Each structure stands twice: as C-alpha cells, then as structure tokens.
Amino acid sequence: MSDRIIRVPEELTMTPYNQVMLKMNGLSVIESCLHTEGRSGSMFLDDHLLLFVLRGVYTVKYGREEHTVRKNQMVLLKKSIVVEYRKYGEPEDNHQLDYMMFFLKDELLKEFIQMANVRLDQVIDAAPVSVKNVTERLLKYIESLTPYFAEPDKIDGGLIRLKLLELLFDLSSADTDVMQQLLQLRQPARQNISAVMEENIMNPVSLTDLAYLTGRSLSSFKRDFQAIYNLPPSQWIREKRLEKAKELLSSTSMTVTDICYTTGFENIAHFSRLFKEYFGYSPSAARQQTLS
C-alpha cells in the first residue's frame, strides 16, 4: 500500500500480483496496480490523488455520495478527506483491475502554475471527488510510463518530477475543468481534525472541546469537518460510537451499562434508544444473540 495514503483498513481477497511504485524524495508519487480479485476498504489521503482506471471498475464513496470510475476514466480526490472504495475487474477484462495513481503535492501544483502561467478563472469550491473521461492524449502519456515501471529503482527522482509536470500540462490541454479543480486544490487545507477525532472518539467531549483541540472556532471546526467527512460531526461521532458499542457487545463480557459509558455515552436510556434506532434492535438483544 502506498506511503502517500494513511489509515487504510482493508478487506481483500488477494494481494496485488503487480504493484510498482515510482518514488521522489523517498515517497511513492506514481503507482501502477494490477489485481485479479476485488478489494474494499477506506482511506484518508495525505495528498491529492489522481487515479486512472485502465481496466475494471473503481467505486469511491464519500459520505453519502458514490462515484463509479470505469475503464478509461479518471477520478480526482482532494487530500484530507476520508473515502470508502471498492475495486474489481469485469468479465470482458478477465476480471483484471488495472489502474494508475498519481499523488500530487501542493508544492508540485504551485511549481506547475508558475511554469505554465495559468490562473484560476473563478473562485469555486473544489469538488472532493471528480470523475472525468480520459482523453487519447492522456492515454498516450500513461503508455509513456511503461518503461519506467520495468526498472523503477533506476529512475531518477528529477525525471519523475518532470513526468508529473508533463501530466499537469497534458491535463491543462485536455480538460480545463480538471485544471481549474487542481488550481483550487492547491489552497492550504486545515490539518489534524482526523487525528483529534481518532484520539477522542470514545471520550465524552463536546463539539466545542473538539474544536478547541483542533485550534478552530466551533463554526470553523464544523465547516472543516464537513469538508473532510461529508457528514456533520455529531452524526459521525454518534455512528462511530454505536458501531464500537456493537463490537464490544459481541466480543466482550462487559455489561451494557459499562459499554454505554466506555463508548462516550452518558445516559443508558439515551444510549439504548439510539442503538435501537440505528441497528433495529436493542443492546440487550444484541448481547443475548452473542450469548446464544
């Protein structure tokens, strides 16, 4: 798995039989991946990601939105968001999934903007997930990388940087909408929300407390949280705590009351009501199923 993607719990039926990385400054920035079985999981992106599907299907779910990327399509994913994914091959391609990933740092985008003298036509909200068709020019560019993947350890980082800049020039000519999205993406994003949430998800802290821990006002925290997870923070926290409670009910001998407080709820009746609304049965019923 790439070192430019973090927090990636996966369910997989088979490891990729071909995954080759081109690195720059010790980090993977271009990857070629070939699978014979489907995979699913979730990921938090440390950099912007441009993913080209050459064979198969790659489905990305962001919050309640789901985007399907098929053969000869590409998807642009904004950094600092959490997405779920499914990827699989299709019968006409012998069930092979073939895709290529390009990790785009803000510094690279800034360098390209200066070199190409391009500008943002209008200020827009950069779409966290954007799917586009791949042009013939971009397919030829992808083909030009084939020799590099044959001997990745021998490719100089400076050449890889030039190939990434070439990609951006080709994108600029092929699709002005994608380029405008890229220009918007280079604006700095707030950091640390995901780390704070992971550390405090089971603690009985308020949204005001979480906002303080991330160095934001409450309104800024809610806005930035929505941009990352595409869900309100209160809903995301409630669902994560309920899922953890269900896990504890099935895997431990803790009482329902102890689980209620362990997962950050402060009232057993309130916890039981939310649990039943979310799963369709009460915590005690879940415990009884485990015992039986």
Side-chain angles (χ1 to χ4, degrees):
M1 179 53 61
S2 166
D3 45 16
R4 309 311 302 142
I5 297 177
I6 59 176
R7 299 175 192 161
V8 192
E10 284 194 332
E11 296 177 1
L12 49 106
T13 56
M14 182 176 180
T15 56
Y17 70 80
N18 188 5
Q19 183 173 15
V20 187
M21 305 178 185
L22 299 178
K23 295 188 176 184
M24 185 172 66
N25 298 326
L27 297 175
S28 173
V29 292
I30 305 176
E31 296 185 16
S32 175
C33 303
L34 188 63
H35 300 266
T36 54
E37 296 291 343
R39 300 172 64 135
S40 63
S42 61
M43 59 185 174
F44 177 89
L45 293 175
D46 197 28
D47 289 318
H48 309 305
L49 171 61
L50 186 62
L51 185 147
F52 291 82
V53 174
L54 306 176
R55 279 180 292 180
V57 179
Y58 200 112
T59 300
V60 177
K61 185 177 181 182
Y62 172 60
R64 303 196 187 285
E65 303 171 7
E66 187 167 291
H67 303 264
T68 300
V69 193
R70 300 187 182 276
K71 182 177 181 178
N72 292 340
Q73 288 187 321
M74 59 185 175
V75 59
L76 176 63
L77 302 173
K78 186 175 72 170
K79 77 174 184 179
S80 301
I81 64 171
V82 175
V83 298
E84 298 176 5
Y85 62 84
R86 288 187 300 110
K87 43 190 179 182
Y88 55 90
E90 294 192 297
E92 58 266 31
D93 292 320
N94 295 320
H95 298 283
Q96 288 187 342
L97 172 67
D98 188 2
Y99 61 97
M100 197 169 293
M101 298 188 292
F102 298 84
F103 299 93
L104 307 174
K105 298 189 73 66
D106 288 326
E107 293 84 351
L108 182 78
L109 295 176
K110 182 178 180 180
E111 182 179 357
F112 167 74
I113 289 168
Q114 293 174 341
M115 290 178 61
N117 194 27
V118 294
R119 60 185 178 84
L120 187 65
D121 290 340
Q122 57 180 333
V123 177
I124 56 175
D125 288 331
V129 182
S130 180
V131 179
K132 298 284 185 177
N133 292 325
V134 178
T135 64
E136 186 66 25
R137 177 170 174 176
L138 287 171
L139 287 174
K140 292 296 184 183
Y141 165 80
I142 291 174
E143 290 177 10
S144 74
L145 293 171
T146 301
Y148 301 155
F149 289 114
E151 45 182 9
D153 295 334
K154 297 181 180 180
I155 308 301
D156 185 84
L159 178 57
I160 295 174
R161 183 178 63 83
L162 290 176
K163 293 301 292 184
L164 287 172
L165 290 170
E166 179 185 344
L167 169 64
L168 295 176
F169 273 104
D170 285 341
L171 280 172
S172 180
S173 299
D175 194 317
T176 55
D177 288 341
V178 171
M179 182 48 56
Q180 289 298 305
Q181 289 285 342
L182 285 169
L183 294 179
Q184 192 74 18
L185 290 181
R186 68 174 288 268
Q187 294 186 353
R190 291 290 193 113
Q191 301 295 323
N192 298 325
I193 281 184
S194 295
V196 169
M197 297 307 297
E198 291 296 330
E199 293 171 0
N200 294 279
I201 186 61
M202 299 306 162
N203 296 330
V205 293
S206 67
L207 292 185
T208 301
D209 294 331
L210 291 170
Y212 174 79
L213 290 171
T214 64
R216 292 165 169 81
S217 66
L218 180 58
S219 59
S220 295
F221 171 75
K222 289 180 178 179
R223 182 183 65 248
D224 293 346
F225 189 100
Q226 182 83 23
I228 294 174
Y229 292 96
N230 205 28
L231 286 173
S234 56
Q235 179 182 344
W236 186 89
I237 292 169
R238 181 172 63 251
E239 292 179 357
K240 289 293 183 181
R241 288 176 174 175
L242 289 171
E243 289 167 1
K244 182 62 177 179
K246 181 183 178 183
E247 177 188 332
L248 293 174
L249 283 165
S250 63
S251 62
T252 74
S253 59
M254 295 173 62
T255 67
V256 172
T257 299
D258 287 341
I259 289 174
C260 166
Y261 296 122
T262 297
T263 53
F265 294 95
E266 298 181 293
N267 181 289
I268 184 66
H270 180 64
F271 163 68
S272 297
R273 179 177 61 80
L274 291 177
F275 190 99
K276 187 172 184 178
E277 289 177 354
Y278 190 68
F279 292 109
Y281 48 85
S282 67
S284 57
R287 169 51 53 80
Q288 191 60 41
Q289 288 177 358
T290 300
L291 294 175
S292 61

